[in-house]
Amino acid sequence: MDVAVILTYRCNSRCATCHVWQHPTLPAEEIAPAVLAKLPGGFGQIVLTGGEPTLRADLEEIVDCLRPKARRLEIATNGLQAEKLERIAAKHPDVRIRISLDGLGARNDSLRGERDGFARKMDTLRRVVAAGARDLGFAAALQDDNADQLLDLYRLCSDYGGDLAVAALHNGFRFHKIDNESANRARLARAVQPLIVAQLRSRRPRNWLRAWSELGLMKKILGQPRRMPCPAGRDFAYVDPWGRVYACPIRPDLEIGDLAAQSWKEIFRGPRAAAARTRVARCTHNCWLDGIARRAARRGLGPLAWALANRLRVAAGGRPDFDRAVDFADVAQSPVVPRRESWLGKPFRPTFQRKTERPYGAYNNAMNK
């Protein structure tokens, strides 16, 4: 099982596709290392995310606590605070560091509301490599405004020997968004195809399996049914900054417990977890999150067989039959939403939220098609 821990809703990026930075948590209320120590060992992966996890003053203590509890520990970061990541990389060189990057140069800075963000991320990347980090990569939120740079992002990542994780836009409580929709689904899905070809040309087998999982990404973008049943509440779960545990990061009605008041075993063997898994089985959201894609690629021999067959096809000068794998005639209609504007340089006063406010109710009806 994998678990993602949302350490904070504070964030020093101002992304147009994620408004968590508008609703920060109070540092004094954020989940303490002593509560996180209650997590058992044996996880496949623990992801430390946010908000921006490097804004936690005790991030290094949290890494020390959680690294022995999983085969892999990942920090999902905007990469704007090199010093903390540099120290962690020197102490734990096997910790995965995934830097969010939504474009090259000014494109990233505009979409993510980060002043000199691209240059700072590249500096962070060089510094953590020098500190000894062995598992690096970028994470990109694919959207209409960066689809033309997707292949360039992959090549940049490959130059550092890292992975590129590409996610479609989602609505949900973790993002405080209900309007993450594409203006041109077909164009956006087609933009994934050159990436798949490049992944199949790679010498790294895990890129071949990523190529297979990108077919699910295209189907999600087009609004088609998901490629596999959702494993939320079984294969993965989320812990919010106050310690509440959720089966998934999309639906706030799938809360299953509170780590501050319960043990992990009590939460996952309790009636709320059982009820949540029943609701997940009937869920109509069409999500394709990175964790789901990883799980899907490991199931059975089908993904590997597809990857090997199409790797040979690409090596011979061809390309996968995308129209056979994904029906581009079946495109969902997107609701008309205002164009997402850049928050770079714009004044904004965030409103802090408390655990007692139960802030997620507004996202119960947010859908992903």
Side-chain angles (χ1 to χ4, degrees), residues 290-337:
D290 188 52
I292 297 174
R294 282 199 311 270
R295 291 283 179 178
R298 297 173 190 160
R299 293 180 182 237
L301 296 177
L304 181 60
W306 182 92
L308 292 175
N310 283 281
R311 175 169 164 75
L312 291 174
R313 183 174 288 120
V314 167
R319 54 189 272 129
D321 188 348
F322 291 115
D323 289 319
R324 182 178 179 182
V326 179
D327 183 5
F328 277 84
D330 180 13
V331 183
Q333 184 174 358
S334 294
V336 177
V337 295

Side-chain angles (χ1 to χ4, degrees), residues 86-105:
E86 196 174 30
R87 291 195 299 269
I88 291 171
K91 189 174 184 180
H92 300 282
D94 61 339
V95 167
R96 288 184 171 186
I97 297 175
R98 295 295 182 267
I99 297 175
S100 297
L101 184 68
D102 287 346
L104 302 180

Side-chain angles (χ1 to χ4, degrees), residues 119-354:
R120 292 164 67 186
K121 293 170 195 284
M122 294 301 102
D123 178 63
T124 295
L125 194 61
R126 289 188 289 268
R127 289 172 64 172
V128 296
V129 167
R134 298 197 299 261
D135 195 338
L136 302 169
F138 294 136
L142 181 60
Q143 50 199 287
D144 298 287
D145 294 317
N146 67 1
D148 61 318
Q149 291 193 346
L150 183 59
L151 192 57
D152 293 326
L153 288 173
Y154 172 77
R155 289 167 176 159
L156 176 63
C157 192
S158 297
D159 288 344
Y160 283 90
D163 295 322
L164 176 65
V166 182
L169 297 183
H170 286 75
N171 295 305
F173 78 81
R174 181 185 170 194
F175 313 105
H176 289 260
K177 293 288 286 184
I178 60 173
D179 62 353
N180 275 338
E181 306 288 348
S182 172
N184 190 328
R185 290 180 182 265
R187 172 182 172 270
L188 199 59
R190 292 286 186 192
V192 180
Q193 295 177 0
L195 171 65
I196 292 176
V197 172
Q199 289 170 328
L200 291 170
R201 287 187 180 132
S202 168
R203 296 183 180 181
R204 307 177 72 189
R206 65 184 182 184
N207 277 340
W208 311 342
L209 290 175
R210 276 195 177 277
W212 178 87
S213 73
E214 311 299 12
L215 298 177
L217 176 65
M218 284 196 290
K219 288 174 69 70
K220 186 267 175 293
I221 293 170
L222 293 171
Q224 297 172 10
R226 53 186 302 115
R227 300 198 79 194
M228 61 169 283
C230 181
R234 290 184 173 86
D235 288 354
F236 65 87
Y238 280 73
V239 182
D240 81 359
W242 299 292
R244 292 191 295 236
V245 183
Y246 291 82
C248 87
I250 300 299
R251 291 176 51 177
D253 61 314
L254 296 180
E255 181 183 349
I256 61 177
D258 189 337
L259 191 61
Q262 299 169 276
S263 71
W264 191 256
K265 182 182 293 186
E266 288 172 335
I267 292 170
F268 269 83
R269 292 185 179 178
R272 297 177 71 185
R277 287 189 282 267
T278 298
R279 291 198 297 273
V280 166
R282 299 194 295 262
C283 184
T284 57
H285 281 263
N286 178 26
C287 303
W288 194 248
L289 300 166
D290 188 52
I292 297 174
R294 282 199 311 270
R295 291 283 179 178
R298 297 173 190 160
R299 293 180 182 237
L301 296 177
L304 181 60
W306 182 92
L308 292 175
N310 283 281
R311 175 169 164 75
L312 291 174
R313 183 174 288 120
V314 167
R319 54 189 272 129
D321 188 348
F322 291 115
D323 289 319
R324 182 178 179 182
V326 179
D327 183 5
F328 277 84
D330 180 13
V331 183
Q333 184 174 358
S334 294
V336 177
V337 295
R339 179 178 175 83
R340 291 179 296 273
E341 296 184 3
S342 174
W343 283 91
L344 181 62
K346 291 184 178 180
F348 184 84
R349 185 184 296 275
T351 302
F352 282 90
Q353 57 180 327
R354 295 179 178 273

Side-chain angles (χ1 to χ4, degrees), residues 3 5 7 33 36-37 39-48 58-75 88-97 134-135:
V3 63
V5 182
L7 291 177
L36 291 173
L39 289 172
F43 286 105
Q45 177 164 282
I46 296 176
V47 179
L48 303 179
D58 53 2
L59 179 60
E60 293 175 60
E61 180 184 353
I62 291 171
V63 171
D64 291 341
C65 170
L66 296 183
R67 177 63 195 93
K69 295 178 181 288
R71 290 197 303 272
R72 294 178 302 275
L73 181 69
E74 176 179 316
I75 300 174
I88 291 171
K91 189 174 184 180
H92 300 282
D94 61 339
V95 167
R96 288 184 171 186
I97 297 175
R134 298 197 299 261
D135 195 338

